[in-house]
Amino acid sequence: MSTRVVITGASGNVGTALLHRLAEAGGYTVTGVTRRQPPATGIYRSAQWRQLDLADHDATTRLQSVMGDADSVIHLAWGFQPTRNVRYLDAVGVGGTRAVLRAADVAGVGQLVHMSSVGTYAAGRYGQYVDETWSTAGIPTSAYSRAKSAAESLLDDYEHSHSDGVTIARMRPGFIMQRSAAGGLRRYTLPAFVEPSWLRFLPVLPLDRRLVVPIIHADDVADAIARTVERRAAGPFNLMAEPPVRRDDLADALGARPVHVPSSMLRPAVALSWRARLQPIDEGWLDMAFTVPLLDTARAQSELGWAPARTSSEAMADMGDGFKNRADTESPVLAYRGPLTSVLRDLRAGPITARKVP
């Protein structure tokens, strides 16, 4: 008998990796829920699809019908753009999590696996390892971090008031990379007129020498999620690969010379360029990069029998190869758009930081 899973955000970065992982394992019937439905090609043929924006007012009701006989719901859907429309991002992230949780409860789903993030953690241990008991208060200046923290608070409230309700697991990975996500990451993080392969000609990397961040490959995140479903595991799980990535590692990957520029000087430059619509990342992402802790993964190793198959360097190299070769997938979320296409879309529909559909 197959295990029926419903995956929100199933056509995105982690969702695509998870589809591969479940298909390889066999024994799963998958329903993918996404705002932009992928074509029935490649790995996306392995799932049935329901098109739904979790920010819609009727999302809870519509999700209930999708989750009717699901054994597990894996909630991956999240918004990264438009960064100028925080109300919509919160409606997708926090409101969407609320809708998924309510629908899963009403539908009697046995397990909910929620994709949280290192971004849910509070400041105070930068460059040091924390386990899952560290505060999930988030980083106040980061809209992404605030929303991840608020989503976890929803889960906390539910667990406190529903002792016999849905079993909840929370995955807290570091920054997730893979080759086939390069197309999507290019749109969300680089100016529309920049071709990612041009980064190899960057002569210097002006960045604070203190930088140290947790990195993990999407395939390793997918493996942890699959193991969580297989074991019907509950609770939070930190996920990262070793060693932590430092500024000089990024410079080496780009073939650039590292130059120390304090984050306090970088922040106004990022803020001003974002406000001037020269690039799509606001200063909250920089704050988070220089604030979040490293992740102790002992619980995932002991409870799930999990260990990352790729080092952080291998994960970065895989993403770098994707940038150089314009890697993407058939999914609209991960599809590659070159500079000309991106600029024309900005002129027609507005910049990615402001329009509803990135």
Side-chain angles (χ1 to χ4, degrees), residues 10-310:
S11 63
N13 182 9
V14 176
T16 298
L18 183 58
L19 290 178
H20 281 287
R21 172 62 170 79
L22 298 181
E24 290 169 2
Y28 289 94
T29 300
V30 179
T31 299
V33 177
T34 185
R35 185 186 63 197
R36 291 172 288 176
Q37 185 170 326
T41 57
I43 192 59
Y44 303 110
R45 289 179 296 184
S46 66
Q48 298 176 333
W49 294 93
R50 294 289 294 272
Q51 197 162 356
L52 168 64
D53 189 335
L54 295 185
D56 289 346
H57 71 280
D58 60 345
T60 301
T61 302
R62 295 174 64 188
L63 284 167
Q64 289 174 21
S65 64
V66 178
M67 297 179 184
D69 58 349
D71 298 295
S72 294
V73 170
I74 303 168
H75 178 41
L76 307 178
W78 202 264
F80 298 93
Q81 290 287 356
T83 49
R84 298 179 193 283
N85 190 351
V86 176
R87 178 178 295 183
Y88 175 72
L89 291 181
D90 284 347
V92 173
V94 184
T97 299
R98 181 183 293 109
V100 168
L101 182 57
R102 287 176 175 173
D105 180 60
V106 172
V109 174
Q111 180 193 42
L112 170 63
V113 181
H114 170 72
M115 177 53 68
S116 187
S117 165
V118 65
T120 195
Y121 283 128
R125 292 289 296 275
Y126 187 68
Q128 302 177 58
Y129 287 83
V130 302
D131 65 16
E132 290 84 356
T133 62
W134 187 249
S135 168
T136 57
I139 310 301
T141 57
S142 166
Y144 170 85
S145 181
R146 292 196 306 269
K148 284 295 186 182
S149 176
E152 289 232 15
S153 292
L154 291 175
L155 304 182
D156 291 340
D157 292 343
Y158 176 86
E159 289 182 324
H160 292 156
S161 60
H162 296 75
S163 58
D164 59 347
V166 180
T167 296
I168 299 176
R170 315 176 193 203
M171 318 311 291
R172 295 175 183 163
F175 299 103
I176 304 170
M177 298 186 175
Q178 68 166 320
R179 184 182 189 277
S180 59
L185 190 64
R186 172 254 182 276
R187 296 200 307 278
Y188 296 156
T189 61
L190 294 177
F193 55 84
V194 172
E195 168 62 54
S197 61
W198 298 347
L199 294 176
R200 61 186 169 184
F201 301 116
L202 192 69
V204 297
L205 180 65
L207 203 56
D208 195 312
R209 65 168 65 97
R210 297 182 304 112
L211 181 72
V212 54
V213 291
I215 296 290
I216 188 166
H217 196 278
D219 289 346
D220 288 319
V221 177
D223 181 52
I225 293 172
R227 289 170 181 266
T228 301
V229 172
E230 291 163 2
R231 290 162 172 75
R232 195 55 68 92
F237 296 98
N238 286 344
L239 306 172
M240 73 167 277
E242 294 289 350
V245 170
R246 301 180 183 275
R247 181 205 59 177
D248 289 359
D249 299 321
L250 290 175
D252 287 343
L254 292 171
R257 181 170 63 87
V259 174
H260 175 62
V261 178
S263 60
S264 59
M265 294 179 61
L266 286 173
R267 192 179 195 276
V270 172
L272 287 172
S273 59
W274 178 73
R275 284 166 174 75
R277 290 170 166 74
L278 296 177
Q279 57 85 21
I281 298 299
D282 64 73
E283 63 270 29
W285 284 94
L286 187 73
D287 293 343
M288 192 170 66
F290 283 97
T291 310
V292 294
L294 302 178
L295 302 173
D296 181 337
T297 63
R299 186 168 191 266
Q301 294 176 41
S302 62
E303 297 289 327
L304 304 178
W306 174 88
R310 304 200 195 199

Side-chain angles (χ1 to χ4, degrees), residues 327-348:
D328 65 356
T329 77
E330 300 91 340
S331 167
V333 182
L334 304 180
Y336 175 83
R337 296 176 194 154
L340 179 58
T341 301
S342 297
V343 169
L344 290 175
R345 186 176 176 86
D346 281 2
L347 292 173
R348 184 174 65 252

